[in-house]
Amino acid sequence: MLKMRLTGLGKKLSRMELLLMKQYSSVPNRKQDLFYDTEVQSILRSLTGMNKDKVFRARREGRATERSLYQFVTDEELNKLQKEADQKAEQRLQMPPVLDERNPKGRVLETDPLLVGFDISKFVFTDITYGVSDRERIVVCRDPDGTLRTADWEEQDRMNQIYYPREERKLRAPPMFEPENLQVILGPSKYEYILDKNCIQFEPDHPIYIRTAEMVYNHLNENKHFSSLHSTRHFGPLVFHLCLTKQIDEFIVYQIMRNNIRNAADTVRVYKKVNQDQSLPVTDDDLETVKNFAKTSAKKGEKILMALEKVQ
Amino acid sequence: MSELSQAARYGRYCLRLSRWGCKNRPFYHIVVAKKSFPNRHYIDPVEQVGTFDPLPNAHNEKLCALNLERLQHYIAGGVTIEVPVAQLLGLAGLLPNHPSTYSQAWRNRDAIDNDSTRRTNVILKSSSQ
């Protein structure tokens, strides 16, 4: 409606108007709109599970370990501590954001050819005002040809890391993230490690973040190592990616073989929501939902039906 | 006792580059300091408002950090800006370019073509040399 009103005037839409249009469009057109839907989030949460032994397992983090504390507590105190532990576990299972790849940024502020010859290097000016977020920080470059422009994403990331370093994030991306090197280490023991390193090194809308995550998810899906990411914070984005790329057949078979028809049906519901597939009949009955999916949209429908028969 | 107006509050102070770093490796702090005090790094300034690294890095960038909010505060208070800092602020786009920036650029461009005017410390390298 807003679009019609603006274009009806027959004028070229300014940047602000295009931004407003995007904000007020009701059809979800970005990955994050689909991912942060309440129903999708609650289903992904329940699919992730909460195996406390896995969430709180001893890991090698390069830090000195705290000594375990043994206490005698009353029942009330025990319940309180249990609740705190549940909250900590939920925090650890918080899903990293799933975003669309970021748009290239940078615009020219001024051109000044009289400055040519002043220097052969680029000058990069970063604003170190207190209390400004990394994304909104003003980073400006003066090129040797005299152009003054806002920094592009690599320069912005690099300056943020130089002046406001994040723990464990490297200034230069480790060679691990190059596709050839990643193929070598991909395996069930390394999925969580790679994805955690991915989260540390890149922002969620960085193209390399998305590429690495998708490589891991696809490899995992091909080799059916779903249990390796079960009860970790990456399970939700994994399932979301499989639904978006329509590769959930193996995952559904995996759930059925674990006698978890409820989870399989929930996955189908997420699939329907994410792909906005109106033709797929989804009901409250789990078994029926999975059967409907197997008969209509599934690529390996027979495999799913066979698995269902085996389990029944 | 009359309060100095905002326009002249920092009249006795200046924005200058204070050399830190090591031998043959300069590194500057952009600093608000009393104009009459000597420019030594062991004399504490009023406030540090930025840094400047004159040696280019691996990406051929000269990095400069500017605390824009504080710079605006001092400039509004009438602080004297010395030439090197004025050059940096001009290049950054906060202020108009200082005339010395243009004259340096002109001399460097001229030096490529004219052997006679080329001084020994011209930094500009070109393919013709």
Side-chain angles (χ1 to χ4, degrees):
Chain A
M1 196 187 84
L2 193 67
K3 192 174 184 174
M4 274 159 56
R5 224 183 70 212
L6 290 172
T7 50
L9 297 172
K11 61 176 178 168
K12 195 162 165 236
L13 293 171
S14 74
R15 233 175 64 189
M16 181 51 95
E17 286 163 333
L18 284 168
L19 226 95
L20 283 171
M21 250 164 50
K22 244 188 172 172
Q23 291 272 24
Y24 290 111
S25 67
S26 53
V27 176
N29 49 8
R30 305 177 303 170
K31 256 197 237 173
Q32 49 261 47
D33 298 324
L34 296 166
F35 185 67
Y36 285 112
D37 181 71
T38 14
E39 199 195 317
V40 171
Q41 279 289 300
S42 65
I43 292 177
L44 291 177
R45 272 264 136 152
S46 68
L47 285 174
T48 311
M50 199 198 282
N51 180 4
K52 298 234 180 59
D53 287 331
K54 186 167 180 185
V55 173
F56 292 121
R57 73 184 186 281
R59 307 154 89 157
R60 291 182 176 183
E61 283 184 354
R63 269 185 271 170
T65 48
E66 291 172 6
R67 286 214 306 210
S68 346
L69 185 64
Y70 292 88
Q71 281 180 310
F72 275 116
V73 286
T74 60
D75 277 336
E76 294 168 352
E77 284 175 12
L78 181 65
N79 286 332
K80 204 176 104 188
L81 289 170
Q82 291 268 31
K83 282 211 185 81
E84 281 172 25
D86 286 336
Q87 276 176 356
K88 271 193 206 161
E90 267 193 45
Q91 211 184 30
R92 291 226 182 153
L93 293 178
Q94 198 180 33
M95 296 184 244
V98 173
L99 304 174
D100 275 334
E101 202 176 298
R102 60 193 180 189
N103 294 321
K105 82 189 259 292
R107 61 189 178 105
V108 171
L109 301 171
E110 182 195 49
T111 51
D112 199 343
L114 289 174
L115 286 176
V116 171
F118 177 70
D119 205 330
I120 49 173
S121 320
K122 183 169 54 167
F123 281 82
V124 181
F125 299 94
T126 317
D127 175 27
I128 49 172
T129 309
Y130 180 77
V132 177
S133 83
D134 274 357
R135 280 175 191 250
E136 283 154 20
R137 188 157 288 129
I138 300 171
V139 178
V140 137
C141 302
R142 178 74 76 166
D143 293 324
D145 62 3
T147 327
L148 182 66
R149 55 179 178 83
T150 47
D152 51 33
W153 279 118
E154 291 122 44
E155 287 159 349
Q156 181 97 6
D157 286 342
R158 216 167 351 107
M159 293 307 123
N160 280 327
Q161 185 55 18
I162 289 173
Y163 293 110
Y164 297 92
R166 251 183 224 237
E167 216 185 290
E168 295 301 317
R169 187 178 279 195
K170 311 294 176 208
L171 202 56
R172 181 185 151 258
M176 176 179 108
F177 294 105
E178 278 152 43
E180 321 85 53
N181 296 330
L182 202 59
Q183 284 297 341
V184 174
I185 53 168
L186 275 177
S189 56
K190 288 283 188 218
Y191 292 136
E192 206 190 338
Y193 169 78
I194 296 170
L195 290 170
D196 281 339
K197 275 246 154 167
N198 202 18
C199 285
I200 291 170
Q201 183 62 36
F202 301 109
E203 292 289 299
D205 51 4
H206 196 292
I208 300 182
Y209 176 93
I210 295 171
R211 179 184 80 194
T212 318
E214 292 192 350
M215 273 182 81
V216 172
Y217 300 148
N218 292 334
H219 189 272
L220 195 154
N221 189 35
E222 275 164 41
N223 298 308
K224 307 181 195 64
H225 291 136
F226 300 107
S227 53
S228 60
L229 281 193
H230 185 68
S231 197
T232 63
R233 62 188 179 132
H234 303 288
F235 202 74
L238 161 72
V239 175
F240 184 79
H241 173 256
L242 294 178
C243 289
L244 211 56
T245 50
K246 307 193 175 163
Q247 294 177 313
I248 58 170
D249 310 282
E250 294 294 342
F251 184 64
I252 290 191
V253 169
Y254 163 78
Q255 297 283 26
I256 294 169
M257 298 312 268
R258 284 162 87 247
N259 269 316
N260 217 328
I261 312 288
R262 164 105 219 158
N263 278 359
D266 278 338
T267 319
V268 175
R269 290 186 188 109
V270 171
Y271 175 90
K272 176 177 180 169
K273 200 87 196 268
V274 159
N275 291 306
Q276 289 141 46
D277 192 355
Q278 305 302 332
S279 64
L280 181 64
V282 154
T283 56
D284 279 330
D285 179 36
D286 299 334
L287 198 56
E288 216 184 289
T289 314
V290 180
K291 279 195 180 147
N292 286 334
F293 173 75
K295 285 171 196 156
T296 53
S297 315
K299 294 196 180 118
K300 301 184 185 171
E302 315 87 42
K303 196 168 179 184
I304 297 176
L305 290 169
M306 265 166 53
L308 279 172
E309 276 168 40
K310 222 188 259 184
V311 162
Q312 243 96 64
Chain B
M1 194 60 161
S2 61
E3 285 277 341
L4 284 174
S5 68
Q6 173 69 11
R9 187 173 299 159
Y10 296 116
R12 298 242 179 262
Y13 296 87
C14 66
L15 279 174
R16 34 151 99 130
L17 293 181
S18 165
R19 184 180 164 145
W20 288 71
C22 303
K23 189 199 258 184
N24 292 321
R25 206 297 179 215
F27 184 87
Y28 297 100
H29 285 192
I30 303 169
V31 131
V32 178
K34 202 93 190 287
K35 186 104 175 73
S36 55
F37 285 12
N39 192 357
R40 307 274 185 277
H41 68 86
Y42 50 76
I43 298 175
D44 288 333
V46 165
E47 186 178 344
Q48 182 195 349
V49 224
T51 59
F52 173 57
D53 182 2
L55 300 190
N57 66 8
H59 301 269
N60 198 23
E61 296 163 345
K62 291 190 176 175
L63 301 181
C64 178
L66 300 168
N67 191 337
L68 294 179
E69 196 242 305
R70 296 307 293 162
L71 273 171
Q72 279 184 337
H73 170 79
Y74 285 111
I75 296 172
V79 73
T80 316
I81 311 178
E82 299 211 335
V83 174
V85 180
Q87 285 191 325
L88 282 174
L89 295 180
L91 289 173
L94 191 67
L95 296 175
N97 277 306
H98 195 268
S100 59
T101 325
Y102 290 118
S103 60
Q104 262 178 274
W106 188 92
R107 289 195 192 115
N108 287 341
R109 286 199 301 272
D110 192 60
I112 307 170
D113 308 315
N114 304 341
D115 265 335
S116 56
T117 56
R118 191 181 300 151
R119 297 167 301 175
T120 47
N121 62 345
V122 160
I123 48 158
L124 195 66
K125 297 183 187 71
S126 78
S127 52
S128 63
Q129 275 180 298

